[in-house]
């Protein structure tokens, strides 16, 4: 995709995003209380499924700086001593890596010196972000989740790295699964990244991965989607736009005000959806309360 075509699409989506979006919360403005109530009424079985992968603590080709987890108590030999003891531990991670499930706040993407809504990039300092942080979703994101399974549509277990999901794929997946993405929905797009990783082992996902093509983003704008998640990075690598490494991130986060969820895991959800013959569900996303952060580890829960 030529850079000028990308920038034309960027300008169009940025202008379109102003209609119905909340200047302070972005596309979450489409997720009204009435739509949350409607999503809750769709619960049938009460079954819950996590959409997050286990956090990685071992280095790999897609995770050179994995999360660290260490025990701080009890000290060696103390656990069996008489009296009260507490088991304590400490956890640290690189939120925006290529292995762990996480949410991107609206301050995560800087493009041409600006954040979403024209907020100056200077609001992000060494001490943290001063605007559009993950604290915007401190009350959670709750609404109707819709899973579109593109490998299932194409009759393959996963999309190969470098493959791209188009708007036509999303429409065809809707038709095949008997579901329609609508205003305020949390859209989840499966590319099969997790299944491929478990089957073939991890690889350098920073260089090669399946994802959405930038030209698929008008589909989300037209349907007024409130948030977007994938079992990959959402962006394809190599990039579809040579001059812009993460065009979907730029369009989604910075132009449209969409919170992104990267590297989720749908492998437990897919068979449940197939069994129940429904691809929509109540979804609850609860990021950590990190007032100045650009993102957060996340464990979305589907309730069917």
């Amino acid at each position: 995709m030529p850079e000028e075509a990308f920038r034309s699409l960027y300008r169009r989506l940025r202008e379109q995003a102003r209609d119905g979006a909340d200047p302070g919360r972005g596309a979450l403005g489409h997720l009204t209380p009435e739509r949350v109530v409607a999503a809750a009424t769709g619960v049938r079985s009460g079954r819950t499924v996590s959409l997050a992968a286990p956090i990685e603590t071992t280095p790999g080709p897609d995770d050179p700086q994995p999360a660290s987890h260490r025990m701080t108590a009890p000290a060696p030999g103390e656990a069996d001593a008489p009296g009260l003891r507490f088991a304590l531990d400490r956890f640290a991670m690189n939120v925006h890596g290529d292995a762990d499930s996480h949410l991107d706040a609206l301050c995560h993407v800087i493009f041409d010196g600006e954040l979403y809504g024209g907020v100056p990039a200077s609001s992000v300092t060494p001490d943290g972000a001063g605007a559009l942080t993950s604290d915007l979703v401190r009350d959670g994101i709750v609404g109707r989740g819709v899973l579109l399974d593109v490998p299932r549509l194409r009759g393959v277990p996963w999309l190969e790295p470098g493959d791209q999901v188009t708007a036509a794929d999303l429409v065809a997946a809707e038709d095949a699964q008997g579901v329609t993405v609508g205003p305020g929905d949390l859209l989840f797009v499966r590319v099969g990244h997790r299944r491929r990783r478990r089957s073939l082992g991890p690889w350098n996902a920073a260089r090669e991965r399946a994802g959405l093509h930038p030209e698929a983003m008008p589909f989300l704008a037209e349907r007024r989607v409130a948030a977007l998640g994938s079992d990959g990075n959402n962006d394809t690598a190599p990039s579809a736009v040579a001059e812009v490494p993460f065009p979907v991130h730029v369009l989604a986060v910075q132009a449209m005000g969409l919170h992104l969820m990267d590297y989720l895991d749908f492998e437990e959800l897919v068979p449940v959806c197939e069994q129940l013959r429904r691809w929509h569900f109540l979804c609850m996303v609860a990021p950590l309360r990190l007032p100045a952060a650009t993102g957060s580890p996340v464990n979305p829960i589907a309730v069917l």
Side-chain angles (χ1 to χ4, degrees):
M1 186 179 190
E3 182 181 11
E4 183 49 45
F6 169 79
R7 286 187 173 272
S8 176
L9 177 60
Y10 167 81
R11 290 189 293 268
R12 176 159 60 93
L13 291 177
R14 186 175 182 178
E15 182 64 30
Q16 191 172 350
R18 297 176 182 174
D19 179 21
D22 184 325
R25 300 177 70 239
L28 291 178
H30 301 311
L31 186 50
T32 63
E34 293 78 13
R35 287 170 179 156
V36 175
V37 171
T41 61
V43 174
R44 296 289 182 268
S45 68
R47 179 161 183 182
T48 61
V49 183
S50 169
L51 307 187
I55 290 176
E56 302 276 346
T57 57
T58 303
D62 58 349
D63 198 15
Q65 297 178 315
S68 64
H69 176 236
R70 66 182 180 87
M71 300 303 296
T72 58
E78 283 188 350
D80 296 330
L84 175 65
R85 296 289 186 276
F86 289 105
L88 304 175
D89 48 2
R90 185 178 187 277
F91 172 77
M93 72 180 297
N94 169 24
V95 173
H96 301 287
D98 288 310
D100 296 321
S101 305
H102 64 272
L103 176 139
D104 292 342
L106 298 187
C107 61
H108 175 52
V109 178
I110 301 169
F111 187 64
D112 288 345
E114 292 183 344
L115 308 179
Y116 167 71
V119 174
S122 58
S123 63
V124 180
T125 73
D127 295 323
L132 304 175
T133 72
S134 60
D135 198 50
L136 284 178
V137 288
R138 60 185 177 272
D139 295 323
I141 303 172
V142 180
R144 190 180 85 134
V146 176
L147 175 64
L148 296 184
D149 190 340
V150 179
R152 183 177 186 271
L153 171 72
R154 297 187 187 178
V156 295
W158 56 71
L159 304 189
E160 291 295 340
D163 203 348
Q164 300 174 9
V165 176
T166 66
D169 287 323
L170 299 179
V171 173
E174 282 185 314
D175 292 341
Q177 296 172 208
V179 67
T180 300
V181 178
D185 283 349
L186 316 182
L187 175 60
F188 299 100
V189 180
R190 179 177 178 266
V191 298
H193 181 98
R194 290 293 179 184
R195 183 172 176 184
R196 186 182 195 276
R197 190 177 189 269
R198 291 188 182 116
S199 299
L200 304 180
W203 70 96
N204 189 341
R207 292 184 180 179
E208 295 181 299
R209 60 180 179 267
L212 277 71
H213 191 280
E215 291 179 346
M217 298 310 291
F219 172 93
L220 281 75
E222 292 161 8
R223 302 300 181 90
R224 300 193 175 189
V225 166
L228 172 65
S230 175
D231 54 344
N233 175 265
N234 284 290
D235 261 295
T236 302
S239 173
V241 184
E243 299 82 2
V244 183
F246 294 88
V248 169
H249 274 66
V250 172
L251 296 176
V253 179
Q254 204 267 11
M256 300 168 63
L258 278 168
H259 285 81
L260 287 188
M261 287 168 275
D262 297 332
Y263 295 107
L264 301 178
D265 192 337
F266 305 133
E267 298 311 303
E268 293 183 11
L269 178 62
V270 168
V272 176
C273 289
E274 290 178 334
Q275 177 187 4
L276 299 178
R277 297 182 180 179
R278 52 187 296 227
W279 297 86
H280 62 90
F281 41 85
L282 175 66
C283 187
M284 298 180 290
V285 183
L288 300 178
R289 292 200 63 173
L290 301 167
T294 65
S296 169
V298 72
N299 180 22
I301 303 294
V303 187
L304 296 106

